[in-house]
Amino acid sequence: MLLIDETDKADVEVEGLLLEVLSDFQVTIPELGTIAAARRPFVVLTSNAARELSEALKRRCLYLHLDYPTPDRERDIVLARVPGVEAGLAEQLVRTVGALRALDIKKAPSIAETVDWARTLLALGLDELDEAAVARTLGVVLKHVSDQQRAVRELGLPAEG
């Protein structure tokens, strides 16, 4: 199996290399020569659509869109991945992250960021996602200042102070 994660974040020139790999299941490295797969690998490319992939690359791929999980499923993921987090806190986190994802922001929080937020709150000894906790930790899930400002404004969240 070959996993090429976040293909859209690589330079466009990397797609030429990917096309060679996907057509011949081999790659030529000037210092090493040609390295060929012993058997046809299962190849998975992931993309967050930060940029459009070339038509040539997309033609060689099957497309599967994975949306965010349901709130119940995401809560279960948080509970499974963050030992010690209470169900009520996980519920608050998932509900808040869902509201953040509904905003028109640059980067919607991923499931991993929901998990990171739960870990952060536990590390800080917080067991409730109240206004003060949100103000202190919003940067865990929103990585752009403009997204944080929008969340504060549109969701009536407290500004960090």
Side-chain angles (χ1 to χ4, degrees), residues 87-109:
L89 179 57
E91 190 76 38
Q92 289 176 321
L93 284 165
V94 167
R95 191 172 47 249
T96 303
V97 168
L100 295 171
R101 286 179 184 146
L103 299 177
D104 182 21
I105 56 179
K106 289 182 182 182
K107 166 67 173 78

Side-chain angles (χ1 to χ4, degrees), residues 73-85 90 115 119:
R73 177 68 180 127
E74 189 165 9
R75 182 203 59 229
D76 291 345
I77 292 168
V78 170
L79 291 171
R81 302 283 298 162
V82 185
V85 71
V115 169
R119 288 182 178 140

Side-chain angles (χ1 to χ4, degrees), residues 35-103:
I35 301 169
R39 61 190 141 219
R40 189 178 183 108
F42 182 74
V43 181
V44 176
L45 303 178
T46 70
S47 170
N48 293 320
R51 74 169 172 83
E52 194 69 28
L53 300 176
S54 72
E55 290 301 317
L57 185 60
K58 289 193 292 189
R59 267 195 311 276
R60 288 164 176 80
C61 298
L62 299 174
Y63 177 79
L64 174 63
H65 174 79
L66 298 177
D67 206 350
Y68 295 108
T70 65
D72 287 344
R73 177 68 180 127
E74 189 165 9
R75 182 203 59 229
D76 291 345
I77 292 168
V78 170
L79 291 171
R81 302 283 298 162
V82 185
V85 71
E86 297 293 328
L89 179 57
E91 190 76 38
Q92 289 176 321
L93 284 165
V94 167
R95 191 172 47 249
T96 303
V97 168
L100 295 171
R101 286 179 184 146
L103 299 177

Side-chain angles (χ1 to χ4, degrees), residues 96 99-100 103 130-132 134-135 138 148-159:
T96 303
L100 295 171
L103 299 177
D130 58 15
E131 288 187 355
V134 171
L138 191 58
Q148 293 174 25
Q149 292 168 341
R150 182 174 293 256
V152 166
R153 191 173 54 250
E154 292 192 22
L155 298 179
L157 299 173

